[in-house]
Amino acid sequence: MELGHEPILVTGASGFVGAAVARALAARGARLRLLVRPSSDRTNLAGLDAELAEGDLRDADSVARAMRGVRYLFHVAADYRIWAPDPEEIVRNNRASTEHVMRAARVAGVERIVYTSSVATLKPLDGGVADEARAATPEQAVGAYKRSKVVAERLVEAMAADGLPVVIVNPSTPIGPRDVKPTPTGRIVIEAANGKMPAYVDSGLNLAHVDDVAAGHLLALEKGRIGERYILGGEDVRLGDMLGAIAGLVGRKPPTVRIPRAPLFPLAYANEAWCRLSGKADPFLTVDSLKMAAHNMFFSSAKAARELGYRARPSIEALGDAIAWFRAAGKIA
């Protein structure tokens, strides 16, 4: 697929997945336009040959300006917080920003759109592996972030049914380089690599290298069916096995103490209350994270492999790349 000479707009390019998508497009010779907030950290934009359009996704006018003359759109940006003092703020932000972007794309006549959703919009299958057919309702989603992604995805689906040329991708748990913030999973990698996780609550998750996820976005642009969703995942692993792999990569002993969830709920409530009072963001232990840990977040990327040609490398390689980047960034001793 020829990317052409018209600009390709990427939202969220200063973030983790968005930066990987932008770099994958740059490697293909795309003409990039990146919508970023004036306050965005520009670390992930270093070295990218791209036009920067400053604006805010919650401001429909700035989104419309950034969309002018765009042929293809990757809407990657999202308010990615597991916790907030006002949880409904996450839902409002993700719904409003998605609506502004999609409406602006329709008005601008964008030829094809890839919308970055999440496996958070799917119901896990305890004792099995979930696929794209297990769509969740907002009421079934655990926590504000997951609910926000469900609400936004359903909005995109409705617009696709009304003729918007959009393909939906659902990344699982991306890890790898350029996790500047870092993401909640990136925080676990850092803490474990620094020997600060002597115990853990076991759960299951699907780990995917962020660059494989980015490659999947480009495949979705080229080959995805309009209105369809595609899981972009990697390898299903137990959290204990992930922590053991991290320990092996950095030469530490793996944690061996597995903690039950129930006794941790009072601590999580107290941690959140303290964060609200102190103004400190991102508590390490939250009520929603404990609720999520009750389910194995195992997913199949078979549909993306079959229809798009998507491929994912082993999780140990993704963990190795993440550790190398965090170490170079001074986050791992």
Side-chain angles (χ1 to χ4, degrees):
M1 180 180 189
E2 291 296 327
L3 297 181
H5 300 293
E6 299 92 343
I8 297 175
L9 181 63
V10 181
T11 70
S14 62
F16 184 37
V17 175
V21 171
R23 289 180 182 278
L25 285 166
R28 289 275 302 273
R31 179 182 167 195
L32 289 176
R33 181 181 296 167
L34 311 178
L35 178 57
V36 295
R37 290 174 296 168
S39 60
S40 292
D41 186 332
R42 307 294 169 94
T43 302
N44 278 341
L45 307 183
L48 272 177
D49 182 11
E51 172 192 356
L52 298 187
E54 289 194 345
D56 191 311
L57 294 175
R58 296 167 295 183
D59 174 14
D61 290 338
S62 67
V63 174
R65 286 194 297 272
M67 203 72 66
R68 290 172 187 157
V70 166
R71 182 179 183 185
Y72 301 129
L73 164 67
F74 290 85
H75 178 38
V76 189
D79 185 345
Y80 182 24
R81 291 179 290 169
I82 301 299
W83 182 88
D86 175 12
E88 290 308 308
E89 180 184 34
I90 301 173
V91 181
R92 291 192 298 271
N93 285 347
N94 282 334
R95 191 192 190 286
S97 61
T98 300
E99 183 171 14
H100 290 160
V101 170
M102 296 299 147
R103 288 190 182 280
R106 171 171 279 165
V107 170
V110 173
E111 185 176 315
R112 198 166 174 87
I113 303 162
V114 176
Y115 167 64
T116 308
S117 185
S118 167
V119 292
T121 68
L122 305 173
K123 293 178 290 185
L125 182 62
D126 285 331
V129 177
D131 62 16
E132 291 85 352
R134 293 184 57 81
T137 65
E139 295 74 24
Q140 292 170 326
V142 176
Y145 173 71
K146 290 192 173 189
R147 188 165 67 255
S148 78
K149 295 301 287 184
V150 171
V151 168
E153 187 181 281
R154 299 297 162 266
L155 171 69
V156 172
E157 286 177 330
M159 296 183 77
D162 194 35
L164 190 70
V166 58
V167 179
I168 299 167
V169 293
N170 302 74
S172 58
T173 306
I175 53 174
R178 301 178 298 275
D179 190 358
V180 171
K181 195 173 179 179
T183 60
T185 313
R187 292 173 68 187
I188 291 173
V189 173
I190 292 169
E191 294 296 308
N194 284 323
K196 295 182 179 179
M197 284 190 69
Y200 62 96
V201 176
D202 199 23
S203 61
L205 66 166
N206 183 282
L207 297 178
H209 196 295
V210 69
D211 291 337
D212 292 338
V213 171
H217 279 68
L218 271 64
L219 289 168
L221 180 76
E222 297 177 9
K223 303 177 182 179
R225 288 185 286 141
I226 300 301
E228 290 290 316
R229 69 171 73 90
Y230 297 91
I231 294 172
L232 303 179
E235 186 177 353
D236 293 324
V237 298
R238 306 291 309 177
L239 180 57
D241 293 334
M242 172 184 164
L243 297 176
I246 293 169
L249 287 168
V250 299
R252 293 186 180 275
K253 291 184 178 180
T256 56
V257 179
R258 190 166 66 180
I259 307 173
R261 291 184 311 116
L264 294 178
F265 276 97
L267 292 175
Y269 281 110
N271 194 13
E272 290 185 14
W274 182 81
C275 286
R276 286 191 184 92
L277 290 172
S278 67
K280 183 182 183 298
D282 298 329
F284 193 76
L285 182 65
T286 69
V287 173
D288 285 342
S289 65
L290 288 176
K291 290 179 179 178
M292 293 175 198
H295 306 283
N296 290 330
M297 303 297 289
F298 291 164
F299 296 95
S300 169
S301 300
K303 180 179 177 182
R306 183 174 63 250
E307 295 190 17
L308 308 181
Y310 175 74
R311 296 290 181 269
R313 72 197 78 182
S315 63
I316 190 69
E317 294 183 25
L319 286 169
D321 285 353
I323 289 168
W325 189 88
F326 284 132
R327 182 171 280 139
K331 296 181 183 295
I332 293 177

